[in-house]
Amino acid sequence: MVNWPVLGTLSAVPALDRPDLLGKPVLTALEALDPADAALVGVAEIDPDLADTAAFCEAYGSPLDGSANCVVVAGRRGEETRYAACLVLATTRADVNGLVRKRLNARKASFAPMDDAVSLAGMEYGGITPVGLPDDWPILVDAAVAAADAVVIGSGIRGSKLALPGSLAARLVNAEVVEGLGR
């Protein structure tokens, strides 16, 4: 059994043991992982009203620098819009107008509107995670996240959180480790 101390006072179980705590695309993505990798992902049930990072960390004693936020970015050039997910430590902010804009080859980049992010990801707002995002989205993972022993991320729903090694986040489908993404 894996220990996920990054979850603070919460008890976690292997994520695939509790499919009811996973968004549908997250469950599908975890089932597609090598079983040894899937076993490294834990899930813990939380109060959905505490899904936002600061409230979660305060309520459950999870270290803020052990939480990673996944933000959906929309990059536009002319009439074309491209989406990407950025995974950065909660103590930093994604360099949307620098690194992300260039990576998307966009003239303008910004956080995707909430309705777009939710409908395209198939996940709940406040629970969007890089696990299970659309196949054509790059997942930009800050090097500090990739180097972390474990990070807490969303689960696709507001009622739970995932914990996994940063190295596994860096190996997700379409993931790309980007130095300096979180600033």
Side-chain angles (χ1 to χ4, degrees):
M1 164 126 336
V2 177
N3 184 17
W4 295 282
V6 74
L7 286 167
T9 61
L10 293 170
S11 294
V13 298
L16 289 176
D17 287 356
R18 291 291 309 270
D20 59 306
L21 294 179
L22 306 173
K24 188 175 182 96
V26 176
L27 175 59
T28 301
L30 289 176
E31 288 173 335
L33 287 178
D34 178 283
D37 283 339
L40 298 175
V41 182
V43 66
E45 189 168 7
I46 66 166
D47 179 337
D49 292 334
L50 299 173
D52 294 333
T53 304
F56 166 80
C57 288
E58 183 176 334
Y60 298 108
S62 179
L64 193 58
D65 62 356
S67 289
N69 290 329
C70 180
V71 295
V72 178
V73 175
R76 288 175 282 292
R77 181 174 286 281
E79 297 299 313
E80 184 180 3
T81 301
R82 294 185 201 96
Y83 293 91
C86 300
L87 190 62
V88 297
L89 292 177
T91 54
T92 65
R93 300 175 68 127
D95 183 10
V96 173
N97 285 307
L99 291 172
V100 179
R101 182 183 59 77
K102 289 176 185 167
R103 170 59 179 82
L104 291 175
N105 191 27
R107 287 182 67 69
K108 182 179 176 187
S110 59
F111 296 113
M114 179 180 61
D115 290 344
D116 291 351
V118 167
S119 66
L120 293 169
M123 301 178 197
E124 294 178 6
Y125 181 74
I128 294 177
T129 185
V131 180
L133 287 174
D135 290 340
D136 60 341
W137 289 15
I139 299 171
L140 308 178
V141 179
D142 184 66
V145 172
D149 288 339
V151 291
V152 175
I153 60 175
S155 64
I157 65 170
R158 291 183 62 87
S160 64
K161 293 285 187 180
L162 298 179
L164 72 160
S167 60
L168 180 56
R171 294 192 318 267
L172 293 171
V173 174
N174 294 331
E176 172 184 334
V177 176
V178 179
E179 189 71 45
L181 176 63
R183 300 170 25 155

